Amino acid sequence: LEEYASAVVMAVRMSCDQKGVAHPVLCSESGRALKAVSARVGLDLDLETLPDELLGECKSMETYARLGDFQRSLACADHLKAKGVDLFKEGKLGLEQMTMVDG
């Protein structure tokens, strides 16, 4: 486990250094892979950077929430997160974008 965690931390550190991005705080959740949590409180990320399929789901989630249809909003949020994880695993979603989807 220590070897795995060290490899993950080193990979994230190197990737951040190459991109000139501040190092994130890494947290481990029991039964889950390590995930990044931004060291900054406000991420200043633009939703428009998300792929169209995620952006549409995000906008639907917000619309349903504004209309008070929280069950549909939650269903959109679940779909958004699941699709985000799939795209992240495929390398089609960056770490900051995944952090935004996860939030």
Side-chain angles (χ1 to χ4, degrees), residues 2 25 32 40 43 52 71 75 100:
E2 186 174 332
V25 175
R32 296 184 183 188
R40 296 180 294 157
L43 268 180
D52 289 340
Q71 286 184 324
M100 182 172 33

Side-chain angles (χ1 to χ4, degrees), residues 28-98:
S28 176
E29 296 182 35
S30 180
R32 296 184 183 188
L34 293 174
K35 73 175 189 177
V37 179
S38 173
R40 296 180 294 157
V41 175
L43 268 180
D44 300 335
L45 292 175
D46 185 5
L47 289 178
E48 301 299 323
T49 66
L50 291 175
D52 289 340
E53 56 196 304
L54 294 183
L55 185 57
E57 201 66 48
C58 189
K59 288 180 179 180
S60 293
M61 176 185 68
E62 291 173 346
T63 298
Y64 286 127
R66 269 188 252 116
L67 294 173
D69 191 341
F70 301 115
Q71 286 184 324
R72 284 190 181 173
S73 182
L74 181 58
C76 288
D78 289 341
H79 186 261
L80 173 69
K81 186 167 183 175
K83 188 62 181 170
V85 169
D86 290 343
L87 291 174
F88 182 73
K89 287 179 181 178
E90 295 169 9
K92 297 178 181 176
L93 197 65
L95 183 60
E96 285 187 343
Q97 290 172 312
M98 187 59 220

